Amino acid sequence: MCIRDRPNEVQEIERPDVLIIEGINTLQLPSSEQIYVSDFTDFSIYVDARAKLIEEWYLERFKALLKLAKDDPDNYYHSYTKVPLDAAVESAKNIWYSVDLPNLEDYILPTRSRADMIIHKGEQHIIDQVMLRKS
């Protein structure tokens, strides 16, 4: 089960063999907190890729989401389907360069060194390198 599918539901998890916590903020060290999510994990994995590839994947996903949103006026992406594809993609690029890329560079990439394992992905999401921190 994915918690984001049920945002108002509380689920207590007691002593699982494996618990995966996915998110871009799990390795961050917020300056206003003394306890961090990473304090409660035994092992952390950072999935890495070149920023240019991430941008390509973002735009591919954006175009795929446009196709799904075409006939669904309640879909967040529906408004982008009302303009020419080139204009919609240009909007997505603007979001990438003004929001997503700065977030990647300023907040996400600096956490890479805190991970126990870094999995690097190359073209077509193929894992091309795995780095394991010595304990």
Side-chain angles (χ1 to χ4, degrees):
M1 177 182 74
C2 182
I3 291 177
R4 73 171 166 254
D5 295 336
R6 300 177 182 181
N8 298 321
E9 185 176 310
V10 174
Q11 181 181 16
E12 189 172 321
I13 302 169
E14 294 185 28
R15 304 181 147 261
D17 292 332
V18 175
L19 175 63
I20 297 173
I21 302 171
E22 185 270 341
I24 60 172
N25 297 322
T26 57
L27 294 174
Q28 286 182 338
L29 296 174
S31 59
S32 62
E33 302 292 329
Q34 293 186 2
I35 298 176
Y36 314 113
V37 172
S38 58
D39 291 338
F40 301 98
T41 60
D42 295 321
F43 193 80
S44 59
I45 301 171
Y46 182 100
V47 180
D48 193 22
R50 291 190 339 267
K52 194 65 183 163
L53 279 178
I54 298 170
E55 177 188 2
E56 289 175 21
W57 298 334
Y58 164 77
L59 294 172
E60 287 171 11
R61 185 173 62 245
F62 178 81
K63 290 184 232 178
L65 290 169
L66 289 182
K67 289 179 184 175
L68 293 173
K70 183 181 177 200
D71 297 320
D72 182 1
D74 294 329
N75 188 301
Y76 171 82
Y77 294 94
H78 184 72
S79 63
Y80 291 104
T81 68
K82 299 300 179 190
V83 299
L85 180 61
D86 290 345
V89 170
E90 193 60 35
S91 292
K93 285 181 183 179
N94 288 335
I95 292 168
W96 169 259
Y97 284 106
S98 65
V99 178
D100 296 337
L101 182 59
N103 186 48
L104 174 66
E105 293 172 339
D106 296 342
Y107 301 105
I108 300 168
L109 284 174
T111 68
R112 179 176 44 197
S113 64
R114 299 196 66 234
D116 297 306
M117 176 184 283
I118 299 171
I119 298 174
H120 189 270
K121 293 169 71 174
E123 299 284 338
Q124 300 177 338
H125 296 273
I126 295 172
I127 295 172
D128 58 10
Q129 190 174 25
V130 176
M131 294 161 275
L132 182 62
R133 180 189 305 272
K134 292 182 181 180
S135 32

